[in-house]
Amino acid sequence: MKAVTAAWERYAEGRTPRRALNAAGASTWLNWTQYPDHGPDESVLGPLSGRRVLELGSGTGCNLAHLATLGAECVGVDISPTQSAKARRRWGHLPGLSFRTAEATEFLAGDSGAFDVVLSIFGPVWFTDPEKFLPLVRAGLSPAGVFAFSHRPPRAGQRPGAALHEARAVARWDHPVEEWVRLLAAAGFGNITGEVVAPPKGKDEGTLLMRAEAA
Ligand SMILES: C[S@@+](CC[C@H](N)C(=O)[O-])C[C@H]1O[C@@H](n2cnc3c(N)ncnc32)[C@H](O)[C@@H]1O
Protein backbone atom coordinates (compact mmCIF):
# COMPACT_ATOMS: atom_id res chain seq x y z
CA MET A 1 0.00 0.00 0.00
CA LYS A 2 2.96 2.34 0.64
CA ALA A 3 3.93 2.19 -3.04
CA VAL A 4 0.36 2.98 -4.11
CA THR A 5 0.14 5.95 -1.74
CA ALA A 6 3.54 7.20 -2.97
CA ALA A 7 2.36 6.88 -6.58
CA TRP A 8 -0.70 9.01 -5.86
CA GLU A 9 1.39 11.53 -3.97
CA ARG A 10 3.56 11.93 -7.11
CA TYR A 11 0.39 12.31 -9.16
CA ALA A 12 -0.96 14.97 -6.74
CA GLU A 13 2.22 17.01 -6.89
CA GLY A 14 2.05 17.20 -10.69
CA ARG A 15 -1.53 18.45 -10.97
CA THR A 16 -2.52 22.03 -11.70
CA PRO A 17 -5.49 23.38 -9.70
CA ARG A 18 -8.94 23.54 -11.29
CA ARG A 19 -9.70 27.06 -12.60
CA ALA A 20 -11.73 29.44 -10.43
CA LEU A 21 -14.73 29.74 -12.79
CA ASN A 22 -16.12 27.47 -15.50
CA ALA A 23 -17.38 28.59 -18.93
CA ALA A 24 -20.80 29.39 -17.42
CA GLY A 25 -19.14 31.60 -14.78
CA ALA A 26 -19.89 29.20 -11.88
CA SER A 27 -17.35 28.83 -9.07
CA THR A 28 -18.34 25.21 -8.29
CA TRP A 29 -19.49 22.45 -10.61
CA LEU A 30 -19.40 18.68 -11.02
CA ASN A 31 -17.61 17.19 -14.01
CA TRP A 32 -17.81 13.43 -14.70
CA THR A 33 -15.55 13.59 -17.74
CA GLN A 34 -11.91 14.35 -18.62
CA TYR A 35 -12.99 17.46 -20.58
CA PRO A 36 -13.84 20.89 -19.16
CA ASP A 37 -17.43 22.15 -19.53
CA HIS A 38 -18.59 18.83 -20.90
CA GLY A 39 -20.96 15.99 -20.04
CA PRO A 40 -23.77 15.43 -17.55
CA ASP A 41 -23.96 17.26 -14.24
CA GLU A 42 -24.85 16.23 -10.69
CA SER A 43 -28.45 15.37 -11.69
CA VAL A 44 -27.11 11.83 -12.34
CA LEU A 45 -27.10 11.48 -8.53
CA GLY A 46 -30.74 12.45 -7.93
CA PRO A 47 -31.81 14.78 -5.10
CA LEU A 48 -28.89 16.06 -3.03
CA SER A 49 -30.15 18.50 -0.42
CA GLY A 50 -29.89 16.92 3.02
CA ARG A 51 -28.41 13.68 1.60
CA ARG A 52 -25.26 12.05 3.00
CA VAL A 53 -22.74 11.91 0.20
CA LEU A 54 -19.40 10.07 0.04
CA GLU A 55 -16.85 10.66 -2.71
CA LEU A 56 -14.16 8.00 -3.10
CA GLY A 57 -10.96 9.51 -4.49
CA SER A 58 -12.12 13.09 -3.93
CA GLY A 59 -8.80 14.58 -5.05
CA THR A 60 -8.71 18.35 -4.58
CA GLY A 61 -12.38 18.31 -3.59
CA CYS A 62 -13.74 20.45 -6.42
CA ASN A 63 -16.59 18.11 -7.42
CA LEU A 64 -17.63 17.38 -3.86
CA ALA A 65 -17.55 21.09 -2.92
CA HIS A 66 -20.23 21.64 -5.53
CA LEU A 67 -22.49 19.04 -3.90
CA ALA A 68 -21.97 20.70 -0.51
CA THR A 69 -23.15 24.02 -1.99
CA LEU A 70 -26.37 22.19 -3.00
CA GLY A 71 -27.06 21.25 0.62
CA ALA A 72 -25.59 17.73 0.80
CA GLU A 73 -23.61 16.52 3.84
CA CYS A 74 -20.37 15.51 2.17
CA VAL A 75 -17.38 13.35 3.09
CA GLY A 76 -14.44 13.04 0.70
CA VAL A 77 -11.92 10.21 1.05
CA ASP A 78 -8.55 10.19 -0.66
CA ILE A 79 -5.45 8.08 -0.16
CA SER A 80 -3.14 11.04 -0.85
CA PRO A 81 -2.40 13.40 2.07
CA THR A 82 -1.39 16.06 -0.47
CA GLN A 83 -4.76 15.87 -2.24
CA SER A 84 -6.67 16.01 1.06
CA ALA A 85 -4.63 19.02 2.20
CA LYS A 86 -5.30 20.83 -1.08
CA ALA A 87 -9.02 20.04 -0.74
CA ARG A 88 -9.15 21.36 2.83
CA ARG A 89 -7.22 24.51 1.88
CA ARG A 90 -9.54 25.35 -0.98
CA TRP A 91 -12.92 24.17 0.32
CA GLY A 92 -12.57 23.77 4.09
CA HIS A 93 -14.66 26.93 4.67
CA LEU A 94 -17.82 25.34 3.22
CA PRO A 95 -20.35 23.94 5.70
CA GLY A 96 -21.25 20.25 5.49
CA LEU A 97 -17.98 19.21 3.85
CA SER A 98 -15.07 17.24 5.29
CA PHE A 99 -12.08 15.42 3.83
CA ARG A 100 -10.42 12.27 5.17
CA THR A 101 -7.05 10.82 4.19
CA ALA A 102 -7.71 7.09 3.89
CA GLU A 103 -7.53 4.20 1.47
CA ALA A 104 -11.06 3.73 0.14
CA THR A 105 -11.31 -0.02 0.87
CA GLU A 106 -10.15 0.50 4.44
CA PHE A 107 -12.53 3.42 4.91
CA LEU A 108 -15.51 1.39 3.67
CA ALA A 109 -14.53 -1.66 5.72
CA GLY A 110 -14.49 0.50 8.86
CA ASP A 111 -17.58 1.89 10.51
CA SER A 112 -18.19 4.45 7.78
CA GLY A 113 -21.98 4.69 8.34
CA ALA A 114 -24.66 4.67 5.66
CA PHE A 115 -24.48 7.07 2.72
CA ASP A 116 -27.37 8.04 0.44
CA VAL A 117 -25.02 8.71 -2.44
CA VAL A 118 -21.54 7.36 -3.25
CA LEU A 119 -19.63 8.70 -6.24
CA SER A 120 -16.19 8.25 -7.70
CA ILE A 121 -14.80 10.18 -10.67
CA PHE A 122 -11.71 8.55 -12.19
CA GLY A 123 -11.21 7.31 -8.61
CA PRO A 124 -10.62 4.08 -6.67
CA VAL A 125 -13.50 2.18 -8.29
CA TRP A 126 -11.20 2.14 -11.31
CA PHE A 127 -8.10 1.22 -9.30
CA THR A 128 -9.38 -1.47 -6.92
CA ASP A 129 -10.41 -5.08 -7.56
CA PRO A 130 -14.16 -4.66 -8.17
CA GLU A 131 -15.07 -8.08 -6.79
CA LYS A 132 -13.75 -6.93 -3.40
CA PHE A 133 -14.60 -3.24 -3.70
CA LEU A 134 -18.19 -3.19 -5.00
CA PRO A 135 -19.71 -5.23 -2.12
CA LEU A 136 -18.12 -2.77 0.31
CA VAL A 137 -19.65 0.18 -1.53
CA ARG A 138 -23.02 -1.61 -1.56
CA ALA A 139 -22.78 -2.22 2.20
CA GLY A 140 -21.98 1.47 2.77
CA LEU A 141 -25.19 2.66 1.06
CA SER A 142 -28.55 3.33 2.68
CA PRO A 143 -31.60 1.51 1.20
CA ALA A 144 -32.15 2.77 -2.38
CA GLY A 145 -28.89 4.73 -2.11
CA VAL A 146 -27.27 5.77 -5.39
CA PHE A 147 -23.79 4.82 -6.61
CA ALA A 148 -22.26 6.42 -9.70
CA PHE A 149 -18.77 6.47 -11.12
CA SER A 150 -16.86 7.41 -14.25
CA HIS A 151 -13.55 6.59 -15.91
CA ARG A 152 -11.97 6.42 -19.32
CA PRO A 153 -13.44 3.59 -21.43
CA PRO A 154 -11.08 0.71 -22.23
CA ARG A 155 -9.12 1.03 -25.44
CA ALA A 156 -9.27 -1.79 -27.97
CA GLY A 157 -6.83 -4.54 -26.99
CA GLN A 158 -6.26 -3.21 -23.46
CA ARG A 159 -6.29 -5.84 -20.73
CA PRO A 160 -7.88 -5.37 -17.27
CA GLY A 161 -5.36 -4.52 -14.57
CA ALA A 162 -2.99 -2.76 -16.98
CA ALA A 163 -0.55 -0.33 -15.34
CA LEU A 164 -1.65 3.28 -15.09
CA HIS A 165 0.75 5.58 -16.89
CA GLU A 166 0.72 8.44 -14.36
CA ALA A 167 1.14 6.27 -11.26
CA ARG A 168 3.02 3.11 -12.15
CA ALA A 169 2.41 1.22 -8.88
CA VAL A 170 -1.33 1.33 -9.53
CA ALA A 171 -3.39 -1.33 -11.29
CA ARG A 172 -6.51 -0.36 -13.16
CA TRP A 173 -9.74 -2.24 -13.98
CA ASP A 174 -10.64 -0.99 -17.45
CA HIS A 175 -13.98 -2.72 -17.89
CA PRO A 176 -16.55 -1.95 -20.58
CA VAL A 177 -20.14 -1.05 -19.60
CA GLU A 178 -21.47 -4.62 -19.92
CA GLU A 179 -18.82 -6.02 -17.56
CA TRP A 180 -19.57 -3.32 -14.98
CA VAL A 181 -23.28 -4.19 -15.25
CA ARG A 182 -22.42 -7.82 -14.48
CA LEU A 183 -20.11 -6.93 -11.58
CA LEU A 184 -22.57 -4.45 -10.05
CA ALA A 185 -25.43 -6.96 -10.24
CA ALA A 186 -23.23 -9.63 -8.62
CA ALA A 187 -22.49 -7.21 -5.77
CA GLY A 188 -26.23 -6.72 -5.10
CA PHE A 189 -26.95 -3.50 -6.99
CA GLY A 190 -30.14 -2.94 -9.01
CA ASN A 191 -31.46 -0.37 -11.52
CA ILE A 192 -28.06 -0.45 -13.22
CA THR A 193 -27.43 1.80 -16.18
CA GLY A 194 -24.26 2.66 -18.04
CA GLU A 195 -23.11 4.55 -21.09
CA VAL A 196 -20.08 5.96 -22.80
CA VAL A 197 -20.66 9.71 -22.84
CA ALA A 198 -19.72 11.01 -26.28
CA PRO A 199 -16.60 13.19 -26.34
CA PRO A 200 -16.70 16.87 -27.31
CA LYS A 201 -16.14 17.83 -30.95
CA GLY A 202 -12.59 17.16 -32.07
CA LYS A 203 -11.88 14.46 -29.42
CA ASP A 204 -12.21 10.74 -29.99
CA GLU A 205 -12.31 9.29 -26.48
CA GLY A 206 -15.60 9.27 -24.55
CA THR A 207 -16.20 8.73 -20.83
CA LEU A 208 -17.68 5.60 -19.25
CA LEU A 209 -20.38 6.53 -16.72
CA MET A 210 -22.17 3.94 -14.57
CA ARG A 211 -25.10 4.39 -12.17
CA ALA A 212 -26.69 1.83 -9.87
CA GLU A 213 -28.88 1.69 -6.77
CA ALA A 214 -28.65 -0.35 -3.60
CA ALA A 215 -31.41 -2.83 -4.41
C1 LIG B 1 -7.35 10.53 -11.28
S1 LIG B 1 -7.53 11.24 -9.69
C2 LIG B 1 -9.20 11.90 -9.73
C3 LIG B 1 -9.46 12.90 -8.65
C4 LIG B 1 -10.86 13.52 -8.65
N1 LIG B 1 -11.90 12.51 -8.46
C5 LIG B 1 -11.11 14.32 -9.89
O1 LIG B 1 -11.97 13.96 -10.69
O2 LIG B 1 -10.41 15.34 -10.09
C6 LIG B 1 -7.71 9.79 -8.66
C7 LIG B 1 -7.81 10.14 -7.20
O3 LIG B 1 -8.13 8.93 -6.48
C8 LIG B 1 -7.28 8.82 -5.36
N2 LIG B 1 -7.16 7.37 -5.06
C9 LIG B 1 -6.63 6.42 -5.87
N3 LIG B 1 -6.72 5.21 -5.31
C10 LIG B 1 -7.31 5.39 -4.10
C11 LIG B 1 -7.70 4.50 -3.06
N4 LIG B 1 -7.47 3.19 -3.15
N5 LIG B 1 -8.30 5.02 -1.96
C12 LIG B 1 -8.54 6.37 -1.88
N6 LIG B 1 -8.19 7.25 -2.84
C13 LIG B 1 -7.60 6.77 -3.94
C14 LIG B 1 -5.98 9.48 -5.78
O4 LIG B 1 -5.18 9.92 -4.72
C15 LIG B 1 -6.50 10.65 -6.63
O5 LIG B 1 -6.73 11.81 -5.86
Side-chain angles (χ1 to χ4, degrees):
M1 194 50 65
K2 270 189 181 162
V4 173
T5 306
W8 285 112
E9 281 292 88
R10 284 196 299 279
Y11 172 87
E13 279 152 20
R15 305 304 289 175
T16 47
R18 186 191 265 192
R19 72 222 141 115
L21 299 177
N22 69 5
S27 58
T28 65
W29 64 93
L30 184 135
N31 188 358
W32 294 101
T33 80
Q34 60 274 53
Y35 306 109
D37 307 301
H38 175 71
D41 62 13
E42 67 280 356
S43 57
V44 169
L45 301 170
L48 287 157
S49 182
R51 310 281 278 173
R52 259 199 106 204
V53 174
L54 171 66
E55 184 176 6
L56 299 168
S58 43
T60 53
C62 297
N63 288 312
L64 197 59
H66 181 60
L67 305 186
T69 67
L70 300 176
E73 285 292 316
C74 298
V75 179
V77 170
D78 202 288
I79 198 171
S80 156
T82 298
Q83 293 284 65
S84 304
K86 285 184 189 175
R88 284 188 204 105
R89 248 192 329 269
R90 183 158 176 180
W91 303 112
H93 62 285
L94 290 179
L97 177 61
S98 64
F99 295 100
R100 298 270 303 273
T101 302
E103 198 284 314
T105 311
E106 288 170 11
F107 178 84
L108 290 166
D111 187 15
S112 61
F115 290 90
D116 303 307
V117 173
V118 175
L119 72 151
S120 189
I121 299 176
F122 291 58
V125 180
W126 198 19
F127 306 118
T128 313
D129 181 349
E131 293 193 359
K132 296 189 183 126
F133 198 64
L134 297 182
L136 289 171
V137 176
R138 168 70 189 77
L141 276 169
S142 59
V146 173
F147 174 42
F149 62 93
S150 63
H151 64 70
R152 291 197 154 92
R155 298 207 172 106
Q158 201 173 318
R159 65 179 170 82
L164 175 67
H165 177 69
E166 297 96 319
R168 266 172 250 115
V170 177
R172 190 166 80 186
W173 277 263
D174 275 336
H175 290 312
V177 168
E178 53 277 18
E179 179 63 1
W180 280 120
V181 169
R182 189 191 71 74
L183 288 161
L184 286 161
F189 287 91
N191 291 330
I192 304 165
T193 54
E195 62 175 316
V196 174
V197 177
K201 210 166 166 240
K203 302 284 180 187
D204 54 13
E205 182 188 60
T207 308
L208 183 142
L209 175 61
M210 300 297 305
R211 184 187 190 282
E213 291 176 15

